[in-house]
Amino acid sequence: MEKKDLLYEGKAKILYLTEDQDMLVQVFKDDLTAFNGTKKGRFQGKGGICNALSTFFFEYLENYHVPTHFQKSLSENEMLVRRLEMIPVEVVVRNIATATLAKTYNLEEGKVLPYPIIEFFLKDDRLGDPMINEHHAYALGHATPEEMRMITRVASKVNAILKAFLDRRGLLLVDFKLEFGKSGKDILIGDEITPDTCRIWDKKTNKKMDKDRFRYDMGGVDKVYKELLDRVLNQ
Ligand code: ATP
Ligand code: TYD
């Protein structure tokens, strides 16, 4: 399917309209950003890696009947997705304490949580993406109680599926973020599942295999993204 007009250009991706009003082309850029876009970087091939990893995870989740916007891969850095009316809530699932969670609750860095924690953030860059709970989501008119229940259920299921999958690849799923959107009455996962939006550590060494290497100037972000793709695809 061919790209038509630009619909939206974000920090990491571009969405184009297509001849089918229900379908979009999602293009992954080589750009890396952090801290609400204030820190910028890029490496060649990053878009291709993120497209390949998102494609893999979305297809893997569809096997478990988790509904996503993914339709098909179009090229190295482009996928066809269903156009969604996005719900402006970022849904974060955490399995291991790190960063803000560890600091806020004085938890040991790397502590495995006995239960996953699900957090919601309002997706609004101007407000700095404040944390909200499901009651804010209803009261601000972003989702109904039923939709939030469904979103929570799906996020938990995705966590169980991806955590088990990555464990078999010798990797820990520390935390990740999902975005959801509506297509008619259906609620689907949109956006991406990549090391930009997940924290993934090597199980044996705790080596960080995600965007934290860029956020915290640890170096080698390009190398770990490539290694992650290889390990996920089991090459
Ligand atoms: P952030 O980095 O905070 O997510 P952004 O807008 O810069 O913000 P990008 O990932 O570059 O993020 O842009 C992709 C945009 O497209 C996001 O706003 C996302 O919510 C939206 N989006 C993702 N999937 C779909 C979809 N299927 N239909 C419509 N919009 C979508
Ligand atoms: P975040 O909630 O920003 O936590 P911290 O302040 O501890 O870094 O991030 C938790 C996980 O969710 C991390 O893997 C990154 C991902 N995430 C995003 O990718 N985008 C977001 O807007 C948010 C809130 C989280």
Side-chain angles (χ1 to χ4, degrees), residues 55-94:
T55 297
F56 179 89
F57 289 133
F58 284 144
E59 286 183 333
Y60 191 78
L61 289 171
E62 289 283 353
N63 292 331
Y64 290 87
H65 311 290
V66 175
T68 83
H69 68 161
F70 178 78
Q71 302 294 305
K72 64 175 179 176
S73 185
L74 294 175
S75 75
E76 198 188 329
N77 66 339
E78 296 172 315
M79 59 169 63
L80 187 70
V81 299
R82 181 167 290 281
R83 182 174 188 172
L84 302 178
E85 188 194 326
M86 295 306 287
I87 298 170
V89 174
E90 306 195 275
V91 181
V92 170
V93 184
R94 296 170 174 273

Side-chain angles (χ1 to χ4, degrees), residues 90-94 98-101 119 121 129 175-177 179 196-199 211-212 215-216:
E90 306 195 275
V91 181
V92 170
V93 184
R94 296 170 174 273
T98 187
T100 306
L101 185 76
E119 298 173 338
F121 297 85
D129 294 351
D175 53 38
F176 63 95
K177 182 262 310 183
E179 290 183 30
D196 276 12
T197 59
C198 303
R199 285 194 175 103
K211 198 166 84 171
D212 272 355
R215 284 192 190 95
Y216 304 115

Side-chain angles (χ1 to χ4, degrees), residues 20-215:
D20 180 341
Q21 59 171 16
D22 294 328
M23 297 293 159
L24 301 174
V25 174
Q26 174 162 265
V27 182
F28 288 77
K29 305 199 279 188
D30 284 345
D31 298 323
L32 269 165
T33 69
F35 308 121
N36 211 350
T38 53
K39 181 172 171 135
K40 294 189 175 71
R42 74 193 310 271
F43 70 86
Q44 206 185 344
K46 188 251 179 186
I49 293 172
C50 287
N51 187 44
L53 280 166
S54 261
T55 297
F56 179 89
F57 289 133
F58 284 144
E59 286 183 333
Y60 191 78
L61 289 171
E62 289 283 353
N63 292 331
Y64 290 87
H65 311 290
V66 175
T68 83
H69 68 161
F70 178 78
Q71 302 294 305
K72 64 175 179 176
S73 185
L74 294 175
S75 75
E76 198 188 329
N77 66 339
E78 296 172 315
M79 59 169 63
L80 187 70
V81 299
R82 181 167 290 281
R83 182 174 188 172
L84 302 178
E85 188 194 326
M86 295 306 287
I87 298 170
V89 174
E90 306 195 275
V91 181
V92 170
V93 184
R94 296 170 174 273
N95 295 306
I96 294 178
T98 187
T100 306
L101 185 76
K103 210 184 271 166
T104 308
Y105 298 101
N106 191 26
L107 299 173
E108 190 192 333
E109 170 75 18
K111 178 188 158 57
V112 178
L113 301 168
Y115 292 96
I117 294 176
I118 301 188
E119 298 173 338
F120 304 108
F121 297 85
L122 184 65
K123 193 172 156 73
D124 187 328
D125 283 348
R126 277 170 312 172
L127 299 179
D129 294 351
M131 188 190 270
I132 58 169
N133 65 33
E134 58 267 48
H135 302 281
H136 292 87
Y138 323 146
L140 300 176
H142 296 311
T144 64
E146 197 184 286
E147 286 167 347
M148 288 306 284
R149 268 197 299 279
M150 157 88 175
I151 285 172
T152 304
R153 224 176 18 243
V154 173
S156 297
K157 183 171 172 181
V158 168
N159 185 42
I161 294 167
L162 294 187
K163 196 166 81 160
F165 168 79
L166 291 168
D167 183 72
R168 292 196 295 277
R169 295 286 192 272
L171 296 163
L172 291 170
L173 181 58
V174 174
D175 53 38
F176 63 95
K177 182 262 310 183
L178 297 175
E179 290 183 30
F180 291 82
K182 286 186 255 188
S183 171
K185 283 194 180 137
D186 298 330
I187 293 201
L188 313 183
I189 296 177
D191 210 51
E192 63 180 296
I193 303 179
T194 69
D196 276 12
T197 59
C198 303
R199 285 194 175 103
I200 297 173
W201 297 351
D202 179 81
K203 214 160 72 174
K204 282 204 192 108
T205 62
N206 277 1
K207 177 168 84 164
K208 295 185 197 296
M209 309 279 300
D210 54 57
K211 198 166 84 171
D212 272 355
R213 300 201 79 88
F214 169 71
R215 284 192 190 95

